[in-house]
Amino acid sequence: MGRRLMKGVALVLGLGMVMGTIGCGGTTAQPEAKTSEPKQAAAANKENKTDEAVTLNFWHIWGAETDASYNAVKTVIADFEKEYPNIKIKVDTTENEAYKTKIKAAAAANELPDVFSTWGGGFSKPFIEAGRVLAIDEYLEDGTKDRMVGGALANVTYGDKVYGMTFGLSCGAFFMNEELFKANNIKIPETYDELITAVKAFKAVGITPMAVSGKDTWTIAMYFDAMALKAAGNDTIVKTLNKEGSFQDPAFLSAATKFAELVSLGAFPAGAAGLSKDESDIDFLEGKIPMLFNGSWTAGTVYREDSKIKDKVIVRGFPVFGDGKGNKNEFTGGAVDAIMVNADTKHKEAAVLFQKYFCENMARETYLAGAYLPAWKVDVDETNINPLTVQLAELTSQAEGFTLWWDTLLEGNDTQIYLNALQELLLGSITPEEYIAKLETIYQK
């Protein structure tokens, strides 16, 4: 893969990551992807090292052994504690969907931990406005920014201040079991019409075409966000979610109608509404379901040592719509998974030191694990990167931009209105028209 890939990643981030931000400023793109030594965040902050014993409470979402980032997190925390033996990291992990509720409640009650994982854009905006998060601009002038790729701070910048750090770029992608397609003489779809043909063909031979979790509603949103992007294009999505447009735009009804069509054709498993993310992935990972549209971190899961579908899966963007405004080079996602520091922590220096160390080293470790493309100029042996991550880098090398996922771009209760309505659409309990009407209520508050 070589140096060419790393420059491509930097270019993609610099051009695309600001497309879905909410009132956020971007950083200047860094054209030269000159690599840095691992653990530079620690080296750059040695002067902050003290003999005082400190315990930092750290909440995050990567606690499941099936998570592609699981080992990376454990490695980085262990390395940090070895480098800084006076600072202990007390970890608390929660599953993604439950974590969102937990972190919002903690912020509202002013009970956030010292350091916590979150998402940029609209998700964390209420935390910033409530004064719960530490602005870290003064800590970034020690060369830290120079070690990040362009745009890496775009989605954690609010107004003119930086409130968090990112470590990796994620994007929505279609993971397809090529072996199942070939065995059943079915074409890998490049257009929506071809996708419908593939769905019907798999159903005809008794194979459920796509995996999804109706219980963890963000996985349904993965599909719909991508479909809305293909139907409406980035500009319409961002303006509408920023309440500068309307869900009455015909493109949204087109996306909803197509999603309902997939449901009616039986594209998703029977009983999907009651399945968790881990449960819904089992048949895909067992090689029984041919398609899964989810985040790029899925590449790491596919290439776990115990994987049954290693070397059988290829990655594609969501198929384009013949009547859509979006194109094949627009993707959902961006550098949005973030680490923030509680504004009221009693250990600001230690917390920011850990924040910086964690993000820079997670950029390297999650890249190696196939979980993320790096938002830092990491130095790695790229021959060890799994083939799906290579495919993802190539797939996004021509990206025109990344549109943040709706549940990140939307703010507060608007996110829940969206996800609840989408769950009803998956269940078939509302029509596409009723779904659009529910989304439009976001404007009525």
Side-chain angles (χ1 to χ4, degrees):
M1 180 163 54
R3 188 70 59 212
R4 177 188 61 79
L5 173 58
M6 285 306 302
K7 288 188 177 181
V9 171
L11 177 61
V12 167
L13 284 166
L15 291 178
M17 284 163 48
V18 297
M19 291 184 69
T21 57
I22 299 180
C24 301
T27 56
T28 303
Q30 305 293 331
E32 292 298 326
K34 185 177 180 181
T35 58
S36 62
E37 291 298 322
K39 303 181 184 178
Q40 274 195 330
N45 288 280
K46 290 232 183 228
E47 64 273 17
N48 294 326
K49 196 170 180 178
T50 69
D51 293 328
E52 178 188 359
V54 171
T55 297
L56 296 176
N57 291 303
F58 176 42
W59 292 3
H60 69 76
I61 61 171
W62 305 288
E65 292 188 18
T66 54
D67 194 298
S69 299
Y70 175 79
N71 287 325
V73 173
K74 291 178 71 69
T75 296
V76 172
I77 291 175
D79 286 348
F80 177 82
E81 291 184 327
K82 183 177 180 181
E83 183 77 17
Y84 293 91
N86 61 304
I87 304 175
K88 300 301 179 185
I89 308 301
K90 184 178 180 181
V91 173
D92 185 300
T93 69
T94 307
E95 178 275 329
N96 188 301
E97 202 67 20
Y99 183 84
K100 292 175 181 177
T101 301
K102 177 179 177 178
I103 201 70
K104 288 177 182 178
N110 198 19
E111 295 177 351
L112 287 169
D114 299 290
V115 187
F116 57 96
S117 69
T118 184
W119 296 268
F123 185 90
S124 290
K125 189 177 180 181
F127 308 166
I128 309 312
E129 293 177 338
R132 304 293 194 237
V133 183
L134 181 70
I136 59 172
D137 301 79
E138 65 181 286
Y139 299 95
L140 302 178
E141 303 306 323
D142 60 354
T144 298
K145 284 184 179 180
D146 296 334
R147 300 197 304 278
M148 305 182 79
V149 301
L153 297 174
N155 293 326
V156 289
T157 301
Y158 299 81
D160 59 354
K161 293 184 178 182
V162 178
Y163 287 89
M165 302 191 76
T166 60
F167 53 86
L169 165 71
S170 303
C171 68
F174 234 139
F175 294 85
M176 300 188 176
N177 188 320
E178 191 174 29
E179 182 178 80
L180 282 177
F181 275 88
K182 288 180 177 179
N184 292 281
N185 196 28
I186 298 172
K187 182 181 183 295
I188 298 289
E190 297 180 7
T191 67
Y192 178 73
D193 288 343
E194 290 177 350
L195 179 63
I196 293 300
T197 298
V199 166
K200 291 179 178 178
F202 277 119
K203 289 294 290 184
V205 293
I207 296 175
T208 299
M210 302 180 196
V212 75
S213 162
K215 187 175 181 180
D216 293 330
T217 48
W218 65 271
T219 70
I220 319 172
M222 279 283 179
Y223 284 91
F224 186 79
D225 290 0
M227 296 177 74
L229 182 59
K230 297 306 178 190
N234 173 79
D235 290 346
T236 298
I237 297 289
V238 174
K239 287 179 180 178
T240 303
L241 299 191
N242 276 326
K243 302 184 180 180
E244 298 170 358
S246 171
F247 289 104
Q248 297 297 333
D249 186 305
F252 291 108
L253 180 58
S254 173
T257 301
K258 288 178 172 63
F259 184 87
E261 181 180 18
L262 291 175
V263 173
S264 67
L265 290 173
F268 304 112
L275 297 176
S276 69
K277 171 65 166 60
D278 288 344
E279 292 168 337
S280 69
D281 284 354
I282 290 173
D283 282 346
F284 175 75
L285 297 173
E286 291 282 336
K288 299 175 182 178
I289 285 181
M291 292 181 277
L292 169 65
F293 192 89
N294 207 261
S296 46
W297 52 82
T298 304
T301 303
V302 169
Y303 269 82
R304 287 176 60 89
E305 289 185 6
D306 58 351
S307 173
K308 295 183 179 179
I309 56 174
K310 193 182 300 183
D311 300 323
K312 298 179 181 181
V313 175
I314 61 173
V315 65
R316 294 288 187 270
F318 201 94
V320 295
F321 294 174
D323 58 351
K325 298 177 183 177
N327 63 56
K328 67 178 184 178
N329 292 325
E330 291 182 328
F331 297 86
T332 54
V336 68
D337 291 80
I339 302 298
M340 293 185 178
V341 173
N342 184 347
D344 292 333
T345 180
K346 296 178 181 179
H347 310 291
K348 286 186 173 61
E349 297 294 329
V352 175
L353 174 60
F354 174 67
Q355 177 189 35
K356 293 162 71 173
Y357 184 103
F358 183 86
C359 289
E360 182 164 10
N361 289 281
M362 273 288 281
R364 181 187 68 255
E365 294 297 329
T366 55
Y367 183 34
L368 287 169
Y372 292 86
L373 299 175
W376 294 68
K377 301 168 191 175
V378 297
D379 187 10
V380 299
D381 179 359
E382 292 176 342
T383 61
N384 292 326
I385 306 300
N386 78 58
L388 274 185
T389 299
V390 175
Q391 286 186 42
L392 281 162
E394 292 174 348
L395 180 67
T396 58
S397 65
Q398 302 299 316
E400 295 176 9
F402 295 84
T403 304
L404 284 184
W405 290 295
W406 287 29
D407 61 354
T408 302
L409 195 51
L410 288 167
E411 298 178 33
N413 191 53
D414 293 347
T415 299
Q416 207 54 51
I417 291 174
Y418 165 55
L419 294 175
N420 288 345
L422 191 53
Q423 189 176 48
E424 291 182 86
L425 191 62
L426 175 69
L427 289 168
S429 59
I430 58 174
T431 66
E433 289 79 9
E434 289 170 332
Y435 170 72
I436 295 300
K438 285 179 179 285
L439 293 187
E440 193 68 13
T441 64
I442 290 173
Y443 279 78
Q444 298 171 8
K445 295 188 302 171

